[in-house]
Amino acid sequence: MRAPGDAGPAAESRPARTAGRWEAAALLLITLLAAALRLYRLPEVPPGLHYDEAFNGVSARSLLEDGTPRIFFADDMGEEPLAISLVAVALALLGEEAWIIRLVSAVAGVLTVPLAWWLARGIFCRALPALATALVLAILYWHVTFSRIGMEPIFVPLTATLAFAALLHGLRDAGARRGRRQLPALLLAGLALGGSLYTYKAGYFVPVLAAAFVAYAALLERGFLRRNGQGLLLAAAVALLVAAPLLAYFAAHPDHFLQRPASVALSTRANAPQDALPAMVSNLPEVLGMFFVRGDANPRSNLPGRPILDPFLALLFVAGLARAVAHFRQPREMLPVLWLAVMVVPTLITTDAPHFGRAIGAPPAVAALCAGGLAALRTWVAALGRRLSGVGPGILRGATAALLGLGLAFSGFLTARDYFQAWAQSGDLFFAYDEGLAGIAHYVDGLPTDEAVYLTPTPADHYTLQFLLQRQLASFDGRAGHVFPPPHRAATQVIILAEDEASLPALQSARPDGSVTWTLDDRYGRPYAVAYHLPPRPDPAPAPPHAVQAALGAGAGLLGYALDAEVAAPGDVVHVILYWQALEPMEADYTVFAHLLGENNPEGGGPVWAGHDSQPDTGHYPTSAWQPGEVILDVHPLAIPAGAPPGQYTLEAGLYLLATMERLPAWQATGERLPGDAVVLGTLQVTIEEEEP
């Protein structure tokens, strides 16, 4: 029987339950704020669809089509599978819209926020700094930006936060000898640690951080390994089991593992290996400065130059760092410092520092340090209040809470303003997110389906175009040739003026009957692209100045050629423009040879004095892409040697298969096979100008 006034265990737990409800409600509101910042106007901001985002979309679509799970995607310099696999699920459920690719990242970013609360609960063991950690991460500009990009880096903080939140709670329970609660947490920690390798290259550092934390705890906390050794081995075994398929793949394909890191690592970019250390030392001020002074300059990843921390968060961060260092004997308190040190290494040892994408594992640590700083400031102010007379502790605590709340609100306002106004309206995003190509795809999809459409000079297999286009598009490089449609077929040629200034005037000269039907400017008002419509006619291409009429195999005809100079001197470069016509579809990609022949060349031991071999249009319009009836203008430069004697030289051309070096049979219009399967084009006069006395 209870004594009078004894409310019993149920009553004693009522305040704890009430506090728990308030904490849950606060966490829900913070998560909703995170969702608002990551989902608001997601179909519009960022604009367009960046190449790497589109790669994830194209790869996800391919995954859905063949139904075969993949451990690694070797294209695009290698991509880990987690993000692409989740994008495939989203596309299957919600449809193949560009913003769905980004929705997967946004959801990952939102989920990281409550996980950050769980992580901070394990670090601080108190509600306020745990909620503050979640709130700072929710409003952190860096994390908001990457949560809205349809790429894989945002999964690094997600898996890292889950791994260490579970690990800390598993270890805490182990210390309290509650083994039944330890097991699920440590299993989850191992799953997330192994899963971090499937996210992004920066995720490879998450297990490194785990090893560093365990080593630090074992060094400073007596009996740590004795109490937690079995649990840690269990987590490590699960992590290794999860990572095993990817590790086995890399063992079989080491080049896939090294390809992307080697392309940006200082050790491979430096002139010599010994230059890598000075390069890292040079990177160090840039990496440290990204928090307070100047951040990533890439407009895709940041408002160029914006530091990670605004002034208020910088104050909290410094205070939190000081607090953590002061508690260096407590491994949990030092975890955010270790985390930060390890996760900035990827940008420290690579080019283009500071690179926010490579350091993307660090935001949870930044948030935890800011939360620790907030707790430290409250403690320091409370201590100051006890020393001051005439100021009530309640008033001081209230004023402190109000100021800290206003500071966090100010930081949230800065994030929203800088992202949705300053950054979203920046003209730099037009190219940073391939907005122009997205506009071209939208325009092309609206053209009549029976009309041929060509693009120059961006290839049609650009991932942004691959994902967005709903119809067939051919592409060539107008700077090295041109393609005209088959007879009696209308066509539209889309020219990206920002890269190809030559095609539009050349096309207007060759086909004055055409007209400009569409234009696109970039965000600065500069012409970016134009569409030139060619009405159908029986002779869609201009006639060659020099007619030839020859056939090569069953698929190619050579109508003639043009020269940019009929007379040349030794040392000159003469451009031969071959006029091909596609007769039948060709499966193979043949190489064109163009030769300048004369008397025996003593250097080469034969009649060839100059030559140029390449696939048509320098490989941008290979023979396998030719459609029957098309006329392809194909430019080949012939560099005449300085020692070439004056005289009349012969021009010849033909096609061969590079793999076998076998030439395609060549016939005259009369049906007679040509010697050497080479079409004799005509002659070129080489003269030596006499010096004036």
Side-chain angles (χ1 to χ4, degrees), residues 43 48-49 53 91 95-103 150 467-468:
L49 185 68
E53 295 179 296
L91 295 180
E96 295 189 5
E97 298 289 337
W99 71 275
I100 300 298
I101 302 173
R102 293 171 178 163
L103 179 63
F467 185 81
L468 295 177

Side-chain angles (χ1 to χ4, degrees), residues 245-425:
L246 185 62
L247 297 177
Y249 177 89
F250 285 149
H253 306 87
D255 53 323
H256 292 176
F257 172 72
L258 296 171
Q259 184 178 11
R260 185 179 290 270
S263 68
V264 296
L266 294 175
S267 58
T268 54
R269 286 292 188 92
N271 294 327
Q274 60 267 25
D275 294 336
L277 182 58
M280 279 188 274
V281 172
S282 176
N283 270 356
L284 186 59
E286 303 293 334
V287 173
L288 295 177
M290 73 182 184
F291 293 98
F292 312 105
V293 182
R294 182 171 179 79
D296 197 330
N298 187 344
R300 187 183 68 183
S301 308
N302 191 32
L303 180 62
R306 186 191 196 275
I308 291 171
L309 302 168
D310 60 64
F312 180 71
L313 290 183
L315 172 65
L316 296 184
F317 179 83
V318 172
L321 193 60
R323 178 185 181 277
V325 172
H327 293 81
F328 75 95
R329 294 187 181 278
Q330 300 177 30
R332 294 171 187 273
E333 295 278 358
M334 276 296 289
L335 173 59
V337 179
L338 293 174
W339 190 318
L340 194 64
V342 171
M343 286 304 176
V344 299
V345 169
T347 187
L348 183 65
I349 63 175
T350 55
T351 58
D352 304 317
H355 191 291
F356 280 6
R358 295 172 196 154
I360 190 60
V366 172
L369 287 171
C370 289
L374 185 145
L377 289 176
R378 290 182 74 249
T379 301
W380 295 338
V381 170
L384 179 63
R386 287 192 294 269
R387 298 177 184 177
L388 298 176
S389 59
V391 180
I395 296 176
L396 195 59
R397 284 197 300 269
T400 302
L403 288 174
L404 292 176
L406 287 173
L408 290 171
F410 174 70
S411 294
F413 166 76
L414 289 181
T415 290
R417 184 202 65 180
D418 289 351
Y419 187 86
F420 292 106
Q421 290 187 13
W423 184 81
Q425 296 174 11

Side-chain angles (χ1 to χ4, degrees), residues 31-223:
T31 305
L32 290 175
L33 173 63
L37 288 172
R38 287 154 181 79
L39 297 174
Y40 174 64
R41 296 179 60 197
L42 189 60
E44 308 161 34
V45 183
L49 185 68
H50 183 264
Y51 179 93
D52 289 336
E53 295 179 296
F55 170 79
N56 284 1
V58 170
S59 300
R61 191 158 57 194
S62 173
L63 202 59
L64 292 174
E65 290 171 355
D66 62 34
T68 304
R70 300 181 196 174
I71 294 298
F72 191 77
F73 292 82
D75 294 335
D76 195 28
M77 300 189 73
E79 298 286 354
E80 287 71 23
L82 179 60
I84 294 173
S85 300
L86 293 175
V87 168
V89 174
L91 295 180
L93 295 176
L94 303 174
E96 295 189 5
E97 298 289 337
W99 71 275
I100 300 298
I101 302 173
R102 293 171 178 163
L103 179 63
V104 174
S105 295
V107 171
V110 172
L111 290 176
T112 309
V113 170
L115 287 176
W117 164 84
W118 192 33
L119 169 71
R121 263 298 195 170
I123 294 173
F124 302 108
C125 301
R126 286 185 293 152
L128 182 61
L131 290 171
T133 299
L135 179 57
V136 171
L137 188 63
I139 63 174
L140 190 64
Y141 183 94
W142 183 10
H143 195 261
V144 169
T145 297
F146 277 86
S147 297
R148 298 175 65 96
I149 303 174
M151 292 166 57
E152 57 279 359
I154 195 62
F155 288 91
V156 177
L158 173 67
T159 54
T161 305
L162 176 59
F164 282 93
L167 182 63
L168 290 182
H169 284 76
L171 295 179
R172 182 188 64 187
D173 288 343
R177 300 185 182 278
R178 293 194 291 269
R180 291 182 180 179
R181 292 181 57 187
Q182 175 193 16
L183 182 61
L186 291 176
L187 287 174
L188 185 58
L191 180 66
L193 281 173
S196 66
L197 300 182
Y198 292 83
T199 58
Y200 178 59
K201 294 295 183 290
Y204 298 175
F205 287 79
V206 177
V208 175
L209 172 60
F213 172 69
V214 170
Y216 187 84
L219 182 65
L220 291 184
E221 190 174 307
R222 180 178 297 178

Side-chain angles (χ1 to χ4, degrees), residues 391-462:
V391 180
I395 296 176
L396 195 59
R397 284 197 300 269
T400 302
L403 288 174
L404 292 176
L406 287 173
L408 290 171
F410 174 70
S411 294
F413 166 76
L414 289 181
T415 290
R417 184 202 65 180
D418 289 351
Y419 187 86
F420 292 106
Q421 290 187 13
W423 184 81
Q425 296 174 11
S426 169
D428 295 338
L429 300 192
F430 186 86
F431 290 98
Y433 279 90
D434 293 316
E435 188 177 3
L437 292 180
I440 288 173
H442 179 74
Y443 170 74
V444 168
D445 280 338
L447 293 173
T449 56
D450 61 344
E451 189 170 300
V453 185
Y454 302 90
L455 173 66
T456 170
T458 299
D461 61 359
H462 188 288

